[in-house]
Amino acid sequence: MKTLPLILLLSLLMSCNSSAQKKEGKTQKKEFKVTKTDAEWKAELTAAQYNVLRKAGTERAFSSPLNNNHDVGTYVCAACKTPLYRSEHKFDSGTGWPSFDRVIEGNVAFSTDTKIGYLRNEEHCATCGGHLGHVFDDGPRKTTGKRHCINGDALEFVPDIK
């Protein structure tokens, strides 16, 4: 009779120490080519840019002048000037944010965002890690089917030289 409680206790202790429940000690943070202190970012960016790029904020829909920009050129990261999107890949999604059907390969990094209760694919500048926006699968079917919904405050527009 005394062995049954001992066996149950040992089983319980062993199950609590299973490898399925072990977590890695530290989550590794991605290193970016451009790294600055929070104070340096605050000094270089406007308050709106800082909120979007460094705090993963979202600007108000239809508030960015870049939403209606139809000039030919390149959209670059407002923090580090990395080219992110080309104007020929921009389209009017009707959402109120600049939208693109593709990125400039290698210049945009992706992660998973669960801040609002469901999974979203978040976009970051691959050079400085600045938050750009999110990518969705409801873009133009004739091209990529993707909608890169980007905060205008995360971008600067550089017109092509004629």
Side-chain angles (χ1 to χ4, degrees):
M1 242 4 212
K2 290 183 179 182
T3 57
L4 184 58
L6 183 59
I7 292 171
L8 287 172
L9 180 61
L10 286 172
S11 297
L12 179 62
L13 289 173
M14 288 174 61
S15 67
C16 289
N17 196 23
S18 74
S19 61
Q21 293 182 357
K22 288 182 183 175
K23 293 184 180 176
E24 292 186 22
K26 293 182 180 179
T27 47
Q28 290 192 346
K29 192 172 184 178
K30 182 173 170 38
E31 291 294 322
F32 296 99
K33 293 176 197 164
V34 174
T35 57
K36 298 182 182 186
T37 67
D38 202 45
E40 288 172 319
W41 285 123
K42 277 185 178 178
E44 292 180 21
L45 301 170
T46 67
Q49 289 171 330
Y50 177 81
N51 180 53
V52 169
L53 287 161
R54 307 318 308 170
K55 296 298 180 187
T58 302
E59 68 192 12
R60 241 179 38 255
F62 301 100
S63 66
S64 174
L66 293 180
N67 191 42
N68 291 318
N69 181 34
H70 302 289
D71 295 338
V72 177
T74 304
Y75 293 84
V76 301
C77 175
C80 70
K81 313 307 181 233
T82 296
L84 303 170
Y85 310 95
R86 289 285 306 152
S87 60
E88 61 262 26
H89 302 133
K90 187 172 184 279
F91 67 96
D92 183 6
S93 66
T95 61
W97 289 278
S99 297
F100 305 86
D101 70 354
R102 68 196 78 178
V103 302
I104 294 176
E105 289 298 321
N107 293 354
V108 177
F110 299 90
S111 66
T112 303
D113 170 12
T114 59
K115 291 179 202 129
I116 61 172
Y118 62 92
L119 292 176
R120 295 186 299 172
N121 292 320
E122 186 173 2
E123 296 189 39
H124 305 272
C125 172
T127 303
C128 71
H131 169 78
L132 302 171
H134 295 86
V135 61
F136 302 97
D137 290 325
D138 60 359
R141 295 286 167 218
K142 291 181 180 177
T143 59
T144 64
K146 301 290 184 192
R147 174 173 56 96
H148 298 266
C149 187
I150 308 303
N151 290 283
D153 283 325
L155 303 173
E156 288 180 5
F157 180 73
V158 178
D160 282 355
I161 299 172
K162 295 178 184 182

